Amino acid sequence: QVYVVFSEELKCWCRALVESVRCQADGYQLSCFLVDHAKYCFVPSESIRVLPRAFAKIPHRAKKCRLHCTKPLTLHIDYCENTAKIGPAKRWDTAAIQHFRKLLE
């Protein structure tokens, strides 16, 4: 379900999908995907509202997607054997994401 959350970074209300909720000392934090800005952000639970019906019908400007058959790789360094090998990783590292964004531009 799509909600409306206030993004401190963008200084505006945005449509968002709630990914997860975590409890903190000062309340709840929601991890959200902003469907019109293709950004992830954390917002406090006080900054979420129900999306008015008229806005629910507007198509999202951003879509979540994945590269087909492309998996993240990383450099594994073995200091004992003084070797470095490229191997699978659980997540994309920051440098790879920045490189990919530059390629898209």
Side-chain angles (χ1 to χ4, degrees):
Q1 183 174 350
V2 180
Y3 294 94
V4 178
V5 297
F6 187 77
S7 169
E8 289 292 333
E9 179 185 351
L10 300 172
K11 303 287 186 227
C12 65
W13 289 90
C14 307
R15 295 185 299 167
L17 292 170
V18 176
E19 300 264 315
S20 64
V21 179
R22 62 182 177 175
C23 184
Q24 299 202 332
D26 59 342
Y28 291 97
Q29 285 282 325
L30 308 168
S31 172
C32 299
F33 176 72
L34 305 179
V35 298
D36 293 319
H37 300 279
K39 290 184 177 227
Y40 289 92
C41 68
F42 287 100
V43 295
S45 58
E46 298 83 31
S47 297
I48 187 169
R49 304 288 186 269
V50 176
L51 181 69
R53 235 175 248 219
F55 294 106
K57 296 178 182 178
I58 300 172
H60 303 160
R61 292 180 56 201
K63 299 231 184 248
K64 287 186 185 182
C65 60
R66 295 177 184 221
L67 298 174
H68 181 67
C69 294
T70 304
K71 297 185 179 180
L73 297 174
T74 191
L75 186 63
H76 297 284
I77 300 173
D78 188 345
Y79 293 104
C80 296
E81 294 184 20
N82 199 23
T83 60
K85 297 178 184 174
I86 293 179
K90 292 181 181 176
R91 297 183 52 181
W92 291 100
D93 62 10
T94 306
I97 293 169
Q98 288 174 353
H99 178 69
F100 183 71
R101 286 183 177 158
K102 285 180 185 176
L103 290 173
L104 289 176
E105 291 174 0

